[in-house]
Amino acid sequence: MIDELPEYAERVLAAAELIPPGKVMTYGDLAEWLEEGGPRQVGRVMTLYGSAVAWWRVVRADGKFLPGHEQRALAHYREEGTPLKDAGRAATGHMPRLDLRKARWHTEDVSPE
DNA sequence: GTGCTGACACAGG
DNA sequence: ACCTGTGCCAGCA
């Protein structure tokens, strides 16, 4: 439940909550979906309120992780079966990245309302 | 008002 | 794969 927040923030958070497990959306896609603001505005909302929603399903367009949140995000992705680029590869020091080609969620018929 | 900053995106090198 | 610069839109000093 979300209350007492600026309307834009509510919309961003609501949209984030609609992303199904195992899928992700980029900041830019989300902004386009809402037809308001831009990637940076979405990122801003996530900075402020991201902890209230599934923040790991809102990602950068290059598939990299948030510095400092890599482990947490990775744990969620493994749990949800989100496609990772080097999913099969074992630990080698460098973290896997998201395979956006497969993981990106296409909103198509869904409306962020 | 002016300028810097940021959980961004994209093109170059 | 990495780094840099530019464009972008709000928020804040």
Side-chain angles (χ1 to χ4, degrees), chain A residues 67-103:
Chain A
H69 291 231
E70 302 180 326
Q71 283 301 331
R72 246 149 350 208
L74 196 50
H76 285 292
Y77 296 139
R78 290 199 202 284
E79 191 174 11
E80 298 180 359
T82 308
L84 299 175
K85 205 165 182 197
D86 19 328
R89 229 143 280 160
T92 53
H94 75 64
M95 298 291 141
R97 262 188 321 209
L98 283 167
D99 185 352
L100 285 180
R101 191 181 48 181
K102 295 181 194 156

Side-chain angles (χ1 to χ4, degrees), chain A residues 33-65:
Chain A
W33 193 26
L34 296 173
E35 293 180 308
E36 185 177 357
R40 313 212 64 142
Q41 280 52 254
V42 173
R44 189 166 164 39
V45 172
M46 292 309 284
T47 302
L48 298 173
Y49 314 109
S51 52
V53 298
W55 53 266
W56 59 93
R57 296 187 195 138
V58 183
V59 303
R60 279 179 69 135
D62 60 6
K64 275 187 77 73
F65 300 132

Side-chain angles (χ1 to χ4, degrees), chain A residues 19-32 39 57-63 77 81-84 98-108:
Chain A
I19 303 173
K23 291 284 173 186
V24 300
M25 253 181 121
T26 70
Y27 295 88
D29 283 350
L30 197 33
E32 224 180 87
R57 296 187 195 138
V58 183
V59 303
R60 279 179 69 135
D62 60 6
Y77 296 139
T82 308
L84 299 175
L98 283 167
D99 185 352
L100 285 180
R101 191 181 48 181
K102 295 181 194 156
R104 193 179 243 199
W105 184 42
H106 300 273
T107 56
E108 317 222 329

